Amino acid sequence: MISTNDFRTGLTIEVDGEVYTVLEFMHVKPGKGAAFVRTKLKNRRTGAVIERTFRAGEKVNRAHIDRRKMQYLYNDGDTYYFMDSETFEQFALPREKLDEATKYLTDNMIIDMLFYQGETIGIELPNFVELKVIETEPGIKGDTAAGGSKTAVVETGAVVQVPLFVEVGDVIRIDTRTGAYIERV
C-alpha cells in the first residue's frame, strides 16, 4: 500500500482492479475542507487516460511490475519486435502499447519491457537517447548568440525544439521522459 501523499510521476498503482501509471498529480489544500490529491492516470492495458481525485493520505495498492531487459529489433508498421537479452525469446507489441516511445526507438536499443501478472503492459526507455538531426532550418550567423530555438527532426521522426546552433548531421541528446533537447554530443 502507498499513500496518495507519496505519489510521483511514473508511479504504477492499482485502482479498481486496473493498472494505472500516474501522469500528473497535484496536492490541493483548499481554505475550507480537507486536502485532496488530483491526478491524471493512464490505464496501462487500454491506454485510456482518466482524471481521479483521492483524499489526502488515502491508501492505494502499488502495482508490482516486473522489468526485463529487451533489445529492440524492428517494426513492420504497427507491430514492434523485441528480443529478451537472456533467453533470446521474441516479443511483439502493437504500437498502441508503446505510446510515445516509438519516437525514440532505434535499432538494437536496450529497453525495459514491463510485465504485470505475466501480461506485457509496455516498455520503458532509457532516460536519455542520442539521435542524429536529419532536418532543421539552417542557423543564421549572429542569431546563435542571442539564444532562441527552432524545430528539428531526428532520425526516428521525432520533432524536437533545439537551439539555433544545431545543424543537420549533429547528434543530440534528448530526455525521453519530456522530449526536451539536453545537449549536442
Side-chain angles (χ1 to χ4, degrees):
M1 297 290 268
I2 187 168
S3 169
T4 56
N5 296 332
D6 298 327
F7 276 6
R8 65 189 189 318
T9 303
L11 178 70
T12 309
I13 60 173
E14 293 177 9
V15 178
D16 301 329
E18 290 289 330
V19 182
Y20 291 93
T21 298
V22 176
L23 298 178
E24 296 176 12
F25 67 97
M26 180 177 25
H27 293 277
V28 180
K29 297 179 183 175
K32 193 163 128 181
F36 58 92
V37 179
R38 186 175 292 137
T39 62
K40 192 176 279 190
L41 305 172
K42 179 173 186 169
N43 187 316
R44 295 303 304 206
R45 288 187 175 125
T46 65
V49 176
I50 64 167
E51 291 186 10
R52 177 96 186 241
T53 302
F54 298 93
R55 292 184 311 276
E58 185 177 342
K59 301 283 187 192
V60 295
N61 287 327
R62 187 177 192 155
H64 295 286
I65 304 296
D66 295 322
R67 289 173 163 72
R68 288 171 47 191
K69 293 281 183 211
M70 299 277 180
Q71 180 180 8
Y72 170 62
L73 299 175
Y74 64 95
N75 74 63
D76 64 1
D78 287 337
T79 306
Y80 288 74
Y81 296 90
F82 300 87
M83 180 179 65
D84 188 316
S85 302
E86 295 174 9
T87 64
F88 303 108
E89 183 180 358
Q90 289 191 13
F91 293 86
L93 285 179
R95 178 186 290 271
E96 300 84 50
K97 290 244 186 201
L98 302 179
D99 306 321
E100 299 290 311
T102 58
K103 291 182 180 180
Y104 308 109
L105 277 176
T106 59
D107 292 344
N108 302 320
M109 176 184 275
I110 302 297
I111 54 98
D112 285 331
M113 189 165 286
L114 308 176
F115 294 90
Y116 175 72
Q117 297 179 345
E119 177 187 352
T120 306
I121 60 170
I123 66 169
E124 194 171 86
L125 294 171
N127 291 339
F128 304 100
V129 293
E130 294 178 2
L131 299 170
K132 186 176 183 178
V133 175
I134 59 168
E135 183 182 319
T136 188
E137 299 170 10
I140 299 170
K141 195 163 183 79
D143 279 350
T144 57
S149 65
K150 61 183 179 179
T151 59
V153 179
V154 294
E155 60 189 299
T156 59
V159 178
V160 181
Q161 287 296 115
V162 298
L164 295 173
F165 58 80
V166 174
E167 297 178 6
V168 173
D170 287 348
V171 177
I172 60 173
R173 182 169 290 130
I174 301 170
D175 186 331
T176 58
R177 298 164 294 189
T178 61
Y181 165 88
I182 302 296
E183 65 184 346
R184 184 168 57 177
V185 181

